[in-house]
Amino acid sequence: MRFRVKAVALGLVLATSGVAAQQLQYLSGQNVAPYFEGWEQNPDGSFNMVFGYLNRNYREELNIPLGPANLIEPTGLQQTQPTFFYPRRHRFLFRVRVPKDWGKKDVVWTLTSNGKTEKAYGNLVPEQAVDSDVIIHNRGGSPGPAPTIELEGDAQRAATLDEPLTLAVKAASTAPAEAGRGRSAPPASAPVAGAARGPGFPADGDDAANTAQRGRGLSISDQPGVGVDVDGSGKRMLAVGRFARTQARGLRVAWLQWRGPGKITFDPWFLEGVDDRMPGWTPPPIPADGRVTTTARFSLPGTYVTRAMADTGGLFTPVDITINVTGNPARQRQR
């Protein structure tokens, strides 16, 4: 009996320590894991392999240039993946098109970062087929068709390190005005305690963080009283498990750095897939004409790709802007 009691006690200790280990939040030092989200069939019979990623860090952003450390194979396929990776999980971000006679071959996305290599294998397994309903259900936002987005100005731009670049798009919902399944949702507001966030999804819970009204369209770091400054950086973080199970509803435009040698700082800005999953977060208001702007500053010269996403939380439509940045970074540091 004594040995059985000790075994049970040891089991409880190990189980508790295992749970604690799973709850650790790493600010940096972890790798980025590629994810195969599923495949779609196009009207011409070809297929899209859809990918996303998980940056296991809660703070560190990783820049992984195209090459052996960030590679789509077979290498004859278009390399459509990002090279800049924001913290945490980002779903259904990009597509790799394959011909209709692709058959049983794999599309493999390899990522190596912080000393670890992981691969995502995409193939045309019937169980992995996705459509709009599947994407909406997994992202957990507004049901209905994808919004539209129109870039204002040229898709190729020039900028300097000395001056911010203003970027503008026009975004619009394509759903009918009435709310309901397959239609646009009403304007987002602070959730009611214990209320479900969307059709078929469980409630967020009855804690104060879920019911408190938060600033519209702000990042976690900018919202007063939200999160904890764990490292004295001034950037606050939420505790593990405090993200909502679904994304906030309502049309918004997210700005992402897709590629580039340095860092793009957007203003205003929120982090797609993270800030818009924070309980109580609501999208910034869209002007009547649908025009949304931000300014971009660049840390290093070189060629960057910026992605703007018109997003309802369920489906999104992207548009890319390629920016050639010139200037002397040494002079920037002296300013």
Side-chain angles (χ1 to χ4, degrees):
M1 177 63 72
R2 182 184 308 167
F3 293 112
R4 290 181 62 186
V5 171
K6 287 184 177 179
V8 170
L10 178 60
L12 288 173
V13 170
L14 292 175
T16 303
S17 63
V19 171
Q22 292 175 12
Q23 295 297 305
L24 289 176
Q25 289 178 275
Y26 293 92
L27 298 182
S28 61
Q30 303 302 298
N31 71 304
V32 180
Y35 269 72
F36 175 58
E37 312 283 9
W39 58 268
E40 308 163 321
Q41 186 162 21
N42 298 308
D44 64 359
S46 64
F47 300 93
N48 294 327
M49 302 293 195
V50 187
F51 292 88
Y53 68 83
L54 168 65
N55 180 346
R56 301 185 191 279
N57 302 292
Y58 278 77
R59 181 67 53 74
E60 185 179 8
E61 298 167 334
L62 291 168
N63 204 329
I64 311 174
L66 297 181
N70 184 359
L71 185 67
I72 298 289
E73 296 176 287
T75 54
L77 297 174
Q78 189 174 6
Q79 304 288 311
T80 54
Q81 71 270 35
T83 65
F84 192 87
F85 297 87
Y86 291 100
R88 308 312 298 154
R89 183 75 161 97
H90 300 272
R91 302 171 183 269
F92 301 96
L93 269 192
F94 71 95
R95 291 160 168 80
V96 178
R97 179 168 288 206
V98 298
K100 59 184 178 182
D101 60 352
W102 186 251
K104 297 182 178 181
K105 293 178 289 185
D106 288 334
V107 174
V108 184
W109 184 22
T110 301
L111 283 176
T112 301
S113 54
N114 281 332
K116 186 173 182 178
T117 297
E118 293 198 47
K119 297 176 182 285
Y121 293 84
N123 49 60
L124 299 176
V125 176
E127 292 78 11
Q128 292 277 15
V130 299
D131 58 16
S132 294
D133 286 340
V134 171
I135 294 173
I136 291 169
H137 188 84
N138 278 271
R139 296 187 81 229
S142 301
T148 63
I149 188 168
E150 179 184 351
L151 177 63
E152 187 176 283
D154 295 334
Q156 303 278 337
R157 306 285 179 88
T160 67
L161 293 177
D162 297 325
E163 298 293 334
L165 176 67
T166 298
L167 302 172
V169 295
K170 284 191 174 183
S173 172
T174 58
E178 298 84 10
R181 182 72 177 173
R183 298 172 181 172
S184 61
S189 58
V192 177
R197 299 282 291 190
F201 295 97
D204 286 335
D206 294 332
D207 58 284
N210 286 338
T211 57
Q213 180 66 48
R214 304 301 185 194
R216 284 193 138 194
L218 298 177
S219 71
I220 291 171
S221 298
D222 296 331
Q223 301 199 34
V226 177
V228 179
D229 184 0
V230 295
D231 58 356
S233 66
K235 297 180 179 180
R236 293 180 294 278
M237 295 173 55
L238 290 179
V240 169
R242 297 306 298 275
F243 294 100
R245 296 181 180 92
T246 62
Q247 292 193 218
R249 294 186 171 198
L251 180 65
R252 66 275 204 165
V253 173
W255 302 90
L256 301 178
Q257 177 175 343
W258 198 252
R259 293 180 180 176
K263 163 76 174 174
I264 305 177
T265 301
F266 299 101
D267 184 23
W269 183 77
F270 66 88
L271 180 51
E272 177 276 333
V274 175
D275 289 327
D276 51 7
R277 281 183 175 267
M278 189 189 74
W281 187 92
T282 54
I286 299 288
D289 62 359
R291 188 174 188 265
V292 178
T293 65
T294 192
T295 59
R297 289 185 177 273
F298 306 88
S299 65
L300 293 172
T303 300
Y304 293 79
V305 176
T306 293
R307 174 159 292 188
M309 291 169 42
D311 191 359
T312 63
L315 299 177
F316 65 87
T317 305
V319 63
D320 289 346
I321 311 160
T322 301
I323 306 163
N324 184 35
V325 179
T326 58
N328 186 343
R331 190 171 68 178
Q332 281 290 103
R333 289 192 291 268
Q334 294 171 1
R335 294 180 62 180

